[in-house]
Short mmCIF file of all heavy atoms in Angstrom, two decimals:
data_model
loop_
_atom_site.label_atom_id
_atom_site.label_comp_id
_atom_site.label_asym_id
_atom_site.label_seq_id
_atom_site.Cartn_x
_atom_site.Cartn_y
_atom_site.Cartn_z
N LYS A 1 104.53 192.83 204.18
CA LYS A 1 104.32 191.86 203.08
C LYS A 1 104.40 190.39 203.51
O LYS A 1 104.16 189.49 202.75
CB LYS A 1 105.36 192.11 201.94
CG LYS A 1 105.15 193.47 201.25
CD LYS A 1 106.27 193.68 200.24
CE LYS A 1 106.08 195.01 199.56
NZ LYS A 1 107.20 195.29 198.67
N GLY A 2 104.78 190.22 204.80
CA GLY A 2 104.89 188.85 205.32
C GLY A 2 106.19 188.14 204.96
O GLY A 2 106.33 186.95 205.19
N LYS A 3 107.15 188.87 204.40
CA LYS A 3 108.40 188.28 203.98
C LYS A 3 109.35 188.09 205.18
O LYS A 3 110.14 187.15 205.28
CB LYS A 3 109.10 189.05 202.97
CG LYS A 3 108.40 189.10 201.62
CD LYS A 3 109.22 189.79 200.50
CE LYS A 3 108.55 189.65 199.19
NZ LYS A 3 109.37 190.28 198.10
N ILE A 4 109.22 188.94 206.22
CA ILE A 4 109.95 188.80 207.45
C ILE A 4 108.98 188.99 208.62
O ILE A 4 107.98 189.68 208.49
CB ILE A 4 111.17 189.71 207.49
CG1 ILE A 4 110.67 191.21 207.65
CG2 ILE A 4 112.09 189.52 206.36
CD1 ILE A 4 111.87 192.20 207.84
N ARG A 5 109.35 188.43 209.76
CA ARG A 5 108.45 188.53 210.93
C ARG A 5 109.03 189.65 211.84
O ARG A 5 108.29 190.41 212.44
CB ARG A 5 108.32 187.21 211.67
CG ARG A 5 107.61 186.16 210.81
CD ARG A 5 107.44 184.90 211.61
NE ARG A 5 106.66 185.18 212.89
CZ ARG A 5 106.78 184.51 214.04
NH1 ARG A 5 107.70 183.52 214.06
NH2 ARG A 5 106.08 184.80 215.08
N GLY A 6 110.27 189.50 212.17
CA GLY A 6 110.95 190.47 213.06
C GLY A 6 112.15 191.12 212.49
O GLY A 6 112.81 190.54 211.63
N ILE A 7 112.46 192.33 212.95
CA ILE A 7 113.57 193.15 212.49
C ILE A 7 114.69 193.08 213.56
O ILE A 7 114.42 193.30 214.78
CB ILE A 7 113.21 194.58 212.23
CG1 ILE A 7 112.14 194.59 211.08
CG2 ILE A 7 114.39 195.42 211.82
CD1 ILE A 7 111.49 195.99 210.90
N GLY A 8 115.92 192.86 213.10
CA GLY A 8 117.06 192.86 214.08
C GLY A 8 118.10 193.83 213.61
O GLY A 8 118.18 194.22 212.43
N LEU A 9 118.99 194.16 214.54
CA LEU A 9 120.13 195.01 214.28
C LEU A 9 121.36 194.32 214.90
O LEU A 9 121.27 193.66 215.93
CB LEU A 9 120.00 196.44 214.93
CG LEU A 9 118.78 197.21 214.45
CD1 LEU A 9 118.67 198.51 215.35
CD2 LEU A 9 118.89 197.62 213.01
N SER A 10 122.48 194.48 214.20
CA SER A 10 123.67 193.78 214.71
C SER A 10 124.80 194.84 214.90
O SER A 10 125.05 195.69 214.01
CB SER A 10 124.20 192.71 213.72
OG SER A 10 125.38 192.08 214.18
N GLU A 11 125.51 194.77 216.06
CA GLU A 11 126.61 195.63 216.37
C GLU A 11 126.32 197.12 216.25
O GLU A 11 127.03 197.90 215.69
CB GLU A 11 127.82 195.28 215.50
CG GLU A 11 128.44 193.94 215.81
CD GLU A 11 129.21 193.89 217.11
OE1 GLU A 11 129.25 194.86 217.87
OE2 GLU A 11 129.93 192.84 217.34
N VAL A 12 125.17 197.54 216.84
CA VAL A 12 124.77 198.92 216.91
C VAL A 12 124.88 199.39 218.33
O VAL A 12 124.96 198.62 219.29
CB VAL A 12 123.31 199.15 216.42
CG1 VAL A 12 123.16 198.72 214.94
CG2 VAL A 12 122.27 198.42 217.28
N ASN A 13 124.87 200.73 218.52
CA ASN A 13 124.87 201.25 219.88
C ASN A 13 123.44 201.64 220.29
O ASN A 13 122.50 201.49 219.56
CB ASN A 13 125.79 202.50 219.92
CG ASN A 13 125.40 203.58 218.98
OD1 ASN A 13 124.26 203.79 218.67
ND2 ASN A 13 126.35 204.38 218.50
N SER A 14 123.31 202.10 221.53
CA SER A 14 122.01 202.37 222.08
C SER A 14 121.26 203.46 221.30
O SER A 14 120.05 203.41 221.13
CB SER A 14 122.08 202.74 223.58
OG SER A 14 122.45 201.62 224.30
N ASP A 15 121.96 204.50 220.85
CA ASP A 15 121.37 205.54 220.12
C ASP A 15 120.66 205.06 218.79
O ASP A 15 119.51 205.41 218.48
CB ASP A 15 122.39 206.68 219.78
CG ASP A 15 122.80 207.46 220.98
OD1 ASP A 15 122.10 207.40 222.02
OD2 ASP A 15 123.88 208.09 220.95
N THR A 16 121.36 204.23 218.09
CA THR A 16 120.79 203.71 216.90
C THR A 16 119.65 202.80 217.17
O THR A 16 118.63 202.85 216.47
CB THR A 16 121.91 202.87 216.11
OG1 THR A 16 122.94 203.80 215.65
CG2 THR A 16 121.31 202.16 214.86
N LEU A 17 119.73 202.02 218.19
CA LEU A 17 118.60 201.15 218.59
C LEU A 17 117.38 201.96 218.93
O LEU A 17 116.28 201.65 218.49
CB LEU A 17 119.03 200.30 219.83
CG LEU A 17 117.90 199.48 220.47
CD1 LEU A 17 117.24 198.59 219.44
CD2 LEU A 17 118.43 198.68 221.63
N ARG A 18 117.55 203.00 219.69
CA ARG A 18 116.36 203.84 220.06
C ARG A 18 115.75 204.51 218.83
O ARG A 18 114.52 204.59 218.71
CB ARG A 18 116.81 204.93 221.05
CG ARG A 18 117.14 204.31 222.47
CD ARG A 18 117.41 205.43 223.42
NE ARG A 18 117.82 204.93 224.76
CZ ARG A 18 117.04 204.44 225.65
NH1 ARG A 18 115.71 204.46 225.40
NH2 ARG A 18 117.43 204.02 226.82
N GLN A 19 116.56 205.04 217.93
CA GLN A 19 116.10 205.61 216.68
C GLN A 19 115.27 204.63 215.89
O GLN A 19 114.19 204.95 215.37
CB GLN A 19 117.24 206.16 215.88
CG GLN A 19 117.94 207.36 216.46
CD GLN A 19 119.12 207.79 215.56
OE1 GLN A 19 119.02 207.96 214.39
NE2 GLN A 19 120.26 207.97 216.18
N ALA A 20 115.84 203.44 215.67
CA ALA A 20 115.20 202.43 214.90
C ALA A 20 113.94 201.93 215.57
O ALA A 20 112.88 201.81 214.85
CB ALA A 20 116.15 201.25 214.66
N HIS A 21 113.97 201.70 216.80
CA HIS A 21 112.81 201.17 217.50
C HIS A 21 111.65 202.12 217.54
O HIS A 21 110.49 201.74 217.58
CB HIS A 21 113.24 200.84 218.98
CG HIS A 21 112.22 200.04 219.75
ND1 HIS A 21 112.07 198.70 219.53
CD2 HIS A 21 111.38 200.36 220.71
CE1 HIS A 21 111.15 198.20 220.36
NE2 HIS A 21 110.71 199.22 221.15
N ALA A 22 111.93 203.46 217.42
CA ALA A 22 110.83 204.43 217.36
C ALA A 22 110.13 204.40 216.03
O ALA A 22 108.99 204.86 215.89
CB ALA A 22 111.40 205.83 217.57
N ILE A 23 110.79 203.83 214.99
CA ILE A 23 110.21 203.72 213.66
C ILE A 23 109.39 202.46 213.53
O ILE A 23 108.31 202.43 213.00
CB ILE A 23 111.26 203.84 212.56
CG1 ILE A 23 111.98 205.20 212.64
CG2 ILE A 23 110.66 203.66 211.18
CD1 ILE A 23 113.25 205.30 211.83
N HIS A 24 109.96 201.36 214.02
CA HIS A 24 109.32 200.03 213.99
C HIS A 24 109.99 199.23 215.11
O HIS A 24 111.16 199.24 215.27
CB HIS A 24 109.49 199.32 212.63
CG HIS A 24 108.71 198.08 212.55
ND1 HIS A 24 109.10 196.87 213.15
CD2 HIS A 24 107.55 197.75 211.86
CE1 HIS A 24 108.19 195.91 212.88
NE2 HIS A 24 107.29 196.44 212.13
N PRO A 25 109.15 198.45 215.88
CA PRO A 25 109.76 197.73 216.95
C PRO A 25 110.91 196.78 216.52
O PRO A 25 110.74 196.05 215.51
CB PRO A 25 108.58 196.83 217.49
CG PRO A 25 107.35 197.70 217.14
CD PRO A 25 107.69 198.32 215.85
N ILE A 26 111.97 196.78 217.22
CA ILE A 26 113.11 195.91 216.96
C ILE A 26 112.93 194.67 217.81
O ILE A 26 112.65 194.75 219.04
CB ILE A 26 114.40 196.59 217.28
CG1 ILE A 26 114.66 197.87 216.38
CG2 ILE A 26 115.58 195.66 217.17
CD1 ILE A 26 114.70 197.54 214.95
N THR A 27 113.10 193.53 217.19
CA THR A 27 112.92 192.25 217.93
C THR A 27 114.20 191.88 218.65
O THR A 27 114.09 191.45 219.81
CB THR A 27 112.57 191.13 216.90
OG1 THR A 27 111.31 191.41 216.34
CG2 THR A 27 112.49 189.78 217.62
N ALA A 28 115.34 192.07 218.00
CA ALA A 28 116.64 191.64 218.66
C ALA A 28 117.76 192.46 218.23
O ALA A 28 117.79 192.94 217.05
CB ALA A 28 116.84 190.13 218.40
N VAL A 29 118.74 192.61 219.13
CA VAL A 29 120.04 193.17 218.76
C VAL A 29 121.05 192.11 218.99
O VAL A 29 121.04 191.35 219.93
CB VAL A 29 120.40 194.36 219.70
CG1 VAL A 29 121.89 194.71 219.51
CG2 VAL A 29 119.51 195.58 219.36
N GLN A 30 121.88 191.89 217.96
CA GLN A 30 122.97 190.86 218.06
C GLN A 30 124.29 191.56 218.08
O GLN A 30 124.61 192.45 217.28
CB GLN A 30 122.85 189.89 216.84
CG GLN A 30 123.98 188.88 216.98
CD GLN A 30 123.83 187.80 215.81
OE1 GLN A 30 124.87 187.37 215.25
NE2 GLN A 30 122.67 187.43 215.46
N SER A 31 125.12 191.19 219.08
CA SER A 31 126.43 191.71 219.18
C SER A 31 127.37 190.64 219.84
O SER A 31 126.84 189.76 220.48
CB SER A 31 126.50 192.97 220.05
OG SER A 31 125.88 194.07 219.33
N GLU A 32 128.65 190.76 219.62
CA GLU A 32 129.54 189.86 220.36
C GLU A 32 129.47 190.21 221.84
O GLU A 32 129.55 191.31 222.28
CB GLU A 32 131.00 190.12 219.86
CG GLU A 32 131.99 189.12 220.46
CD GLU A 32 133.35 189.17 219.85
OE1 GLU A 32 133.56 189.88 218.87
OE2 GLU A 32 134.26 188.44 220.37
N TYR A 33 129.29 189.13 222.62
CA TYR A 33 129.17 189.31 224.03
C TYR A 33 129.60 188.00 224.69
O TYR A 33 129.05 186.90 224.36
CB TYR A 33 127.79 189.67 224.49
CG TYR A 33 127.56 189.85 225.98
CD1 TYR A 33 128.58 190.49 226.75
CD2 TYR A 33 126.38 189.41 226.57
CE1 TYR A 33 128.38 190.70 228.08
CE2 TYR A 33 126.20 189.58 227.94
CZ TYR A 33 127.12 190.22 228.72
OH TYR A 33 127.00 190.43 230.04
N SER A 34 130.65 188.06 225.53
CA SER A 34 131.07 186.90 226.23
C SER A 34 131.88 187.38 227.38
O SER A 34 132.03 188.61 227.65
CB SER A 34 132.05 186.03 225.31
OG SER A 34 133.22 186.78 225.00
N LEU A 35 132.50 186.46 228.16
CA LEU A 35 133.29 186.82 229.33
C LEU A 35 134.40 187.73 228.96
O LEU A 35 134.73 188.65 229.73
CB LEU A 35 133.81 185.48 229.95
CG LEU A 35 132.88 184.73 230.84
CD1 LEU A 35 133.40 183.34 231.07
CD2 LEU A 35 132.69 185.46 232.17
N TRP A 36 134.95 187.59 227.71
CA TRP A 36 136.10 188.45 227.40
C TRP A 36 135.74 189.59 226.42
O TRP A 36 136.58 190.32 226.00
CB TRP A 36 137.30 187.68 226.96
CG TRP A 36 137.29 187.13 225.53
CD1 TRP A 36 136.20 186.98 224.66
CD2 TRP A 36 138.45 186.72 224.80
NE1 TRP A 36 136.64 186.43 223.52
CE2 TRP A 36 137.98 186.28 223.55
CE3 TRP A 36 139.78 186.63 225.07
CZ2 TRP A 36 138.86 185.78 222.55
CZ3 TRP A 36 140.65 186.13 224.13
CH2 TRP A 36 140.16 185.72 222.88
N SER A 37 134.44 189.78 226.12
CA SER A 37 134.00 190.87 225.21
C SER A 37 132.69 191.40 225.88
O SER A 37 131.59 191.02 225.60
CB SER A 37 133.60 190.29 223.81
OG SER A 37 134.83 189.84 223.16
N ARG A 38 132.89 192.45 226.76
CA ARG A 38 131.79 192.83 227.60
C ARG A 38 131.33 194.27 227.34
O ARG A 38 130.64 194.91 228.15
CB ARG A 38 132.24 192.64 229.05
CG ARG A 38 132.44 191.20 229.37
CD ARG A 38 133.00 190.97 230.74
NE ARG A 38 132.11 191.46 231.79
CZ ARG A 38 132.48 191.40 233.11
NH1 ARG A 38 133.64 190.90 233.46
NH2 ARG A 38 131.68 191.89 233.95
N GLN A 39 131.66 194.84 226.20
CA GLN A 39 131.19 196.16 225.84
C GLN A 39 129.68 196.34 225.96
O GLN A 39 129.19 197.39 226.39
CB GLN A 39 131.62 196.56 224.43
CG GLN A 39 131.28 197.98 224.07
CD GLN A 39 131.72 198.35 222.67
OE1 GLN A 39 132.46 197.65 222.01
NE2 GLN A 39 131.24 199.50 222.18
N PRO A 40 128.82 195.40 225.59
CA PRO A 40 127.39 195.59 225.71
C PRO A 40 126.95 195.88 227.17
O PRO A 40 125.86 196.42 227.34
CB PRO A 40 126.80 194.20 225.26
CG PRO A 40 127.83 193.70 224.30
CD PRO A 40 129.15 194.03 224.91
N GLU A 41 127.73 195.56 228.14
CA GLU A 41 127.36 195.84 229.55
C GLU A 41 127.38 197.30 229.82
O GLU A 41 126.76 197.75 230.79
CB GLU A 41 128.27 195.11 230.51
CG GLU A 41 128.04 193.54 230.48
CD GLU A 41 128.96 192.85 231.41
OE1 GLU A 41 129.70 193.48 232.14
OE2 GLU A 41 128.87 191.61 231.45
#
């Protein structure tokens, strides 16, 4: 409908990302990531 351009997910794991991306391309995943928060690695 043109209301949004890209779809994002926040604080999800890889399994959820893969499931969602198979339905519609995901533009970005947002999660806490810094020198002292390194779980995304």
Side-chain angles (χ1 to χ4, degrees):
K1 292 175 181 176
K3 292 186 175 183
I4 67 176
R5 295 183 59 209
I7 298 171
L9 301 172
S10 179
E11 291 286 9
V12 298
N13 58 31
S14 289
D15 290 341
T16 294
L17 171 57
R18 289 185 185 280
Q19 291 176 50
H21 193 72
I23 299 168
H24 186 284
I26 297 298
T27 297
V29 168
Q30 181 176 141
S31 292
E32 183 172 356
Y33 181 39
S34 68
L35 281 162
W36 77 342
S37 294
R38 295 174 60 185
Q39 184 182 350
E41 293 180 0

